[in-house]
Amino acid sequence: MKVALGGTFEPLHEGHKKLIDVAIKLGGKDITIGITSDRMARARIRSVLPFSIRAENVRRYVIRKYGFEPEIVKITNPYGKTLEVDFEYLVVSPETYEMALKINQKREELGKRKITIVKVDWIMAEDGKPISSTRIKRGRLTDTAESFRFRCFPAGRARQAC
Amino acid sequence: MKVALGGTFEPLHEGHKKLIDVAIKLGGKDITIGITSDRMARARIRSVLPFSIRAENVRRYVIRKYGFEPEIVKITNPYGKTLEVDFEYLVVSPETYEMALKINQKREELGKRKITIVKVDWIMAEDGKPISSTRIKRGRLTDTAESFRFRCFPAGRARQAC
């Protein structure tokens, strides 16, 4: 049983946490969390915390809640390891669902079996629209969003939430 | 932690089994499986096995694979218990996803929190299209589909697969 999930995880919000929760329920410790490289992340979102900090936030969430060290890999393209590894489940958000379909299409072209896609709907923000990193980054959700609770900043910066 | 899933489950195919598998991984024994009443099922599919047999097929699958007696309820409308019970997860197929969105919309109108929807993509049939009960019932998938393995027939009928 192997479960994969991926994303930029910046800021780590309730939707991400739900995604991680579902992945761990499906795969236990046997999960692989792909986190985009800075170059990949910044192609979509101009300002993003470095990979090391984003990865550390995810790692802390898993350790605090589940007590184990998750496998985190840096991904430099949207497929990550999904074309090489025969994962049992691919846990995705509404934002990454289309990519999951592309992954399965590509796998089929390569003669590999499709991975079962499990889409977890985001928790909705107060305005009824989904919380997504992009919306938060674009300033369309305020700092009051609970999602900011797990945002960490490098030592020395003003805000230290973790 | 309470997990709900629902459907007609006729014939019980690989997609249904995957749905049940995910629900049990998320909720353990704390799952509620809603199965449509004969009246409700027959409004969509003309010929359908009685509720008692459909429920028994689902029950046997869970007992054989997971060793516990699942909670199965007969549903007489598409909402089932989802407006009364605060389930943690609603596990749905691509076929029932739209209904899940309606459930959350209705819950919001009632001032209740939304249930996290987990959509599990069907396993694909050989023609690349999703396996669905409706397609099987309409004869668009042949009897060779593995999905027929769990189809039960009342005593005395020619085919007895369970």
Side-chain angles (χ1 to χ4, degrees):
Chain A
M1 170 74 65
K2 283 175 182 163
V3 177
L5 70 162
T8 296
F9 297 96
E10 215 288 273
L12 186 64
H13 57 60
E14 290 305 305
H16 293 137
K17 291 182 217 167
K18 190 63 93 174
L19 212 64
I20 295 169
D21 291 346
V22 168
I24 291 176
K25 279 181 193 299
L26 290 176
K29 294 180 183 176
D30 202 0
I31 63 163
T32 301
I33 305 174
I35 300 182
T36 53
S37 67
D38 291 343
R39 173 175 240 169
M40 198 179 151
R42 284 170 188 156
R44 206 169 66 92
I45 310 168
R46 201 167 42 180
S47 163
V48 70
L49 288 171
F51 170 85
S52 58
I53 294 173
R54 290 180 284 122
E56 181 60 16
N57 287 347
V58 170
R59 181 179 164 268
R60 283 191 200 184
Y61 174 69
V62 175
I63 289 176
R64 280 183 192 162
K65 186 158 182 182
Y66 298 99
F68 73 91
E69 187 79 48
E71 185 192 343
I72 294 176
V73 297
K74 186 188 282 185
I75 55 175
T76 54
N77 69 71
Y79 293 99
K81 285 181 161 188
T82 58
L83 301 182
E84 295 89 54
V85 182
D86 290 336
F87 292 103
E88 178 87 0
Y89 295 105
L90 195 51
V91 178
V92 300
S93 71
E95 287 189 323
T96 53
Y97 180 68
E98 290 300 321
M99 191 58 220
L101 297 179
K102 282 185 193 160
I103 286 170
N104 267 345
Q105 195 177 354
K106 192 82 178 166
R107 283 182 60 90
E108 198 169 31
E109 286 166 21
L110 296 168
K112 301 192 173 202
R113 69 154 177 76
K114 290 185 176 179
I115 302 173
T116 298
I117 301 166
V118 175
K119 179 166 87 92
V120 182
D121 274 10
W122 291 132
I123 305 293
M124 298 293 146
E126 280 185 9
D127 64 2
K129 292 180 183 165
I131 290 175
S132 83
S133 306
T134 315
R135 287 190 75 214
I136 294 170
K137 296 298 289 185
R138 286 181 183 152
R140 289 183 190 155
L141 291 175
T142 67
D143 277 17
T144 57
E146 199 192 355
S147 54
F148 272 73
R149 270 198 308 151
F150 278 84
R151 187 166 185 177
C152 291
F153 295 85
R157 287 207 193 175
R159 289 197 292 181
Q160 183 75 27
C162 291
Chain B
M1 170 73 66
K2 283 176 183 163
V3 177
L5 70 162
T8 297
F9 297 96
E10 214 288 272
L12 186 64
H13 58 62
E14 290 305 305
H16 292 138
K17 290 182 216 168
K18 190 63 93 175
L19 212 64
I20 295 169
D21 292 346
V22 168
I24 291 175
K25 281 181 192 298
L26 291 176
K29 294 180 182 176
D30 202 0
I31 63 163
T32 300
I33 306 174
I35 300 183
T36 53
S37 67
D38 292 343
R39 173 175 241 169
M40 198 179 151
R42 285 171 187 154
R44 206 169 66 93
I45 309 168
R46 201 167 41 180
S47 164
V48 70
L49 288 171
F51 170 84
S52 57
I53 294 172
R54 290 180 286 122
E56 182 60 18
N57 287 347
V58 170
R59 181 179 163 268
R60 283 192 200 185
Y61 174 69
V62 174
I63 289 175
R64 280 184 192 161
K65 186 158 181 182
Y66 297 100
F68 73 90
E69 187 80 48
E71 185 192 342
I72 293 177
V73 297
K74 186 188 282 186
I75 54 174
T76 54
N77 70 71
Y79 294 99
K81 285 180 160 188
T82 58
L83 301 183
E84 295 89 53
V85 182
D86 289 337
F87 292 103
E88 178 86 1
Y89 294 105
L90 195 52
V91 178
V92 301
S93 70
E95 287 188 325
T96 53
Y97 180 67
E98 291 300 321
M99 191 58 220
L101 297 178
K102 282 184 193 160
I103 286 170
N104 267 345
Q105 196 177 354
K106 191 82 178 167
R107 283 181 61 91
E108 199 168 31
E109 287 166 21
L110 296 169
K112 302 192 172 202
R113 69 152 177 76
K114 291 184 177 180
I115 302 172
T116 299
I117 301 167
V118 174
K119 179 167 87 96
V120 182
D121 275 10
W122 290 134
I123 304 294
M124 297 294 145
E126 281 185 9
D127 64 1
K129 292 180 183 164
I131 290 176
S132 83
S133 306
T134 315
R135 288 189 74 215
I136 294 170
K137 296 298 291 184
R138 285 181 184 153
R140 290 182 189 155
L141 291 175
T142 66
D143 277 18
T144 57
E146 199 192 358
S147 54
F148 272 74
R149 271 199 308 150
F150 278 84
R151 186 165 185 178
C152 290
F153 294 85
R157 288 208 193 174
R159 289 197 294 182
Q160 182 75 27
C162 291

